[in-house]
Amino acid sequence: MNAYSVRKALGTVLFYIVTITISVMMFLPFFWSLITSFKPSDEIFSMPIKWIPSTLTLEHYRSAFTTVPFGLYFWNSFLLAAAGVLANLFFGSISGYAFAKLNFKLSKPLFRVLLAAMMIPGIVTMIPSFYVLKHFPLIGGNDLLGGGGNGFLNSFWGIILPGASGSFAVFFMRQFFLTLPSDMMEMARIEGCKEFRIFWNIYLPLTKPALATLSIFTFQAGWNSFLWPMIILNDPEKATVQMGLQAFSYNHQTDFGPMMAGALIAVLPILVLFLLLQKYFVQGIAFSGVKG
């Protein structure tokens, strides 16, 4: 073997060593969570660390469902996440179509405002959003001026409405619509099709990869949301999975066994959704950033 072949072989070996090391380091926290959920309580903090428990137990999973109504929290989280997905798919698609395919006077200025909104951290808009939801006229006991009641506070609408048409959803769908040819739109207009029908019957069916990708992102964001539901929802019957996990941390102590069990159960819906839509996910990522 010549010197070039030796260097190439060493480079390949080094690449795999680094890649495997990074992969193991990233996998270890998940593996620790998985093993902790099956460990007896007295082995969770044993020293040295027991990566393989002496016995497997389902006690932490039973405790997760008996300490808090985890089934109810699951349903609440699923309802909020699914509603957010449906709203973002519709409003994000129709807005993205408008920015990509329709020529109207304020198209570019409005799109620049949209891009600027994407750069604002969500934490900055929480207080204004809370104020608007609380003082929304004629909702939740409020009068015409928005006083006297609680508006959308302590209701699922207070979670759904602020994110019903996210800036990212509009931008993402706009990028995908730009990759689709405009000839079909012109031909449909000549045939007398209305604009909404062109969008709904011609262009929307072509965006399945983008819709699948956006569904995964939106569902994950809604499912993992913690701070905003914690601010808006005060009724324990309306709590979400992420709020429910907080119940295992109390009096400056954390019950890690049930918490790890609950966290792993909470991962399952996102994992299932990704497995179902993964073939569209790769296509959506590949095509949605082609044009600017």
Side-chain angles (χ1 to χ4, degrees), residues 1-17:
M1 295 179 63
N2 54 36
Y4 174 76
S5 299
V6 172
R7 286 197 302 270
K8 185 177 179 180
L10 290 176
T12 302
V13 171
L14 180 62
F15 170 78
Y16 279 108
I17 291 175

Side-chain angles (χ1 to χ4, degrees), residues 156-176:
F156 287 163
W157 289 110
I159 307 296
I160 297 170
L161 290 178
S165 181
S167 301
F168 174 77
V170 178
F171 171 78
F172 187 81
M173 293 306 300
R174 182 251 187 190
Q175 296 301 101
F176 195 90

